[in-house]
Amino acid sequence: MLRYSALSCYIAAVAKGIRIKPSKHPRYPWEASWATYVNGIRTPRRKYFRNKSEAVDFRARHTAALHSAGPEIGELRPEERRALSIWRERGHSFAGKIVLPDLDEIVRRELDRIAKTFGSGTIKDAVDETIARRERENRAKSTINSLWRLLRRFEADIGGDRLVVSVTTQEINGWLSSLVDESGRPLQPRTKLNHRKGAATLFAEAVRLGWCERNPVDLADRPLVPQAEVIPILAPPE
């Protein structure tokens, strides 16, 4: 554990850093200055040295210390305190109902999700990759063209620049419900089901590429297609 002086240096470095300059002290011509922040209160600090090299060495040693241990022992910032308050208040409401993960586990999961977001491709990228895979697999031209039309409709409606990982199941449901033909009439359930299959194919490719963890279409509503009337088979005399 760092001594208090090192902790002070850590807090100061986060703000403005440790500054060294000539001093007016009669015996120590050089000084290092910084400030500590405890509960939002700023307190100036100073340390004097016999020469400049000692002051520079002091700054270097404590700067290295804050890089290795500072984040673990530093004073909580206001937003970190707010996060902790939210955790305590909201977590208390779940008491006796469910077992919540530890706070550090929740933070790790969210950071992992953010990291995956930076690695995610766009809807347009996913469309291109999906079509390219079908071409490499030598699928029938008519099959590829049909899928391409479905995916381009999805890209236009959802937004080609959207990150794949940002699309939710709720958005898929809303998109399926809003599908209309050129005259503005709702698409037939069977046609909506085809669009749903196209979107599912796109996100399956995105999962394969590591752009999202799951396929949001899997839990989306399936358009209900009425069963066709069954025409009875008549006997020859009939």
Side-chain angles (χ1 to χ4, degrees):
M1 177 65 69
L2 295 181
R3 291 177 301 180
Y4 181 74
S5 61
L7 173 57
S8 301
C9 295
Y10 161 67
I11 300 171
V14 172
K16 294 184 179 179
I18 304 172
R19 291 172 293 180
I20 59 173
K21 63 179 181 178
S23 77
K24 297 180 181 180
H25 195 284
R27 295 170 53 194
Y28 300 98
W30 284 88
E31 68 177 56
S33 61
W34 65 95
T36 60
Y37 293 84
V38 179
N39 296 326
I41 300 175
R42 182 181 185 277
T43 303
R45 300 284 180 179
R46 247 184 214 90
K47 186 174 179 62
Y48 294 95
F49 303 90
R50 290 172 296 182
N51 53 59
K52 182 178 180 180
S53 62
E54 288 183 357
V56 171
D57 180 64
F58 173 85
R59 181 173 61 182
R61 283 188 288 107
H62 289 299
T63 299
L66 73 89
H67 283 309
S68 62
E72 298 177 4
I73 64 174
E75 184 76 11
L76 289 177
R77 294 175 298 188
E79 60 270 23
E80 293 171 333
R81 292 181 180 277
R82 288 195 297 271
L84 186 57
S85 296
I86 292 171
W87 160 253
R88 289 174 175 172
E89 293 171 6
R90 298 289 298 276
H92 180 73
S93 66
F94 293 104
K97 300 176 183 177
I98 61 173
V99 178
L100 288 175
D102 292 335
L103 179 57
D104 60 337
E105 179 62 23
I106 292 177
V107 173
R108 288 193 187 96
R109 289 180 184 178
E110 180 62 15
L111 291 176
D112 288 342
R113 185 192 67 79
I114 293 173
K116 284 183 170 57
T117 298
F118 283 105
S120 176
T122 64
I123 295 295
K124 182 181 184 306
D125 294 333
V127 169
D128 294 341
E129 291 292 339
T130 302
I131 295 301
R133 178 178 292 275
R134 270 51 186 184
E135 291 174 342
R136 292 194 299 271
E137 294 171 347
N138 293 320
R139 300 290 184 94
K141 189 70 174 177
S142 59
T143 300
I144 294 176
N145 288 339
S146 177
L147 178 61
W148 184 86
R149 286 191 294 271
L150 294 174
L151 297 186
R152 288 305 181 192
R153 171 70 181 271
F154 181 78
E155 178 187 338
D157 292 346
I158 297 295
D161 292 333
R162 284 279 303 278
L163 291 177
V164 169
V165 73
S166 70
V167 181
T168 66
T169 297
Q170 289 74 19
E171 286 183 277
I172 299 296
N173 285 334
W175 171 69
L176 289 171
S177 299
S178 67
L179 287 173
V180 295
D181 61 20
E182 293 179 355
S183 63
R185 293 177 299 183
L187 294 182
Q188 293 298 315
R190 186 175 299 280
T191 305
K192 287 187 177 182
L193 186 60
N194 289 335
H195 280 279
R196 184 185 186 278
K197 290 178 180 178
T201 300
L202 180 143
F203 282 101
E205 181 65 25
V207 171
R208 188 180 295 113
L209 292 168
W211 291 351
C212 55
E213 292 185 347
R214 63 178 183 84
N215 190 329
V217 184
D218 288 345
L219 298 179
D221 298 335
R222 293 178 61 88
L224 183 60
V225 179
Q227 292 185 346
E229 294 184 6
V230 179
I231 301 177
I233 301 176
L234 302 178
E238 299 175 313

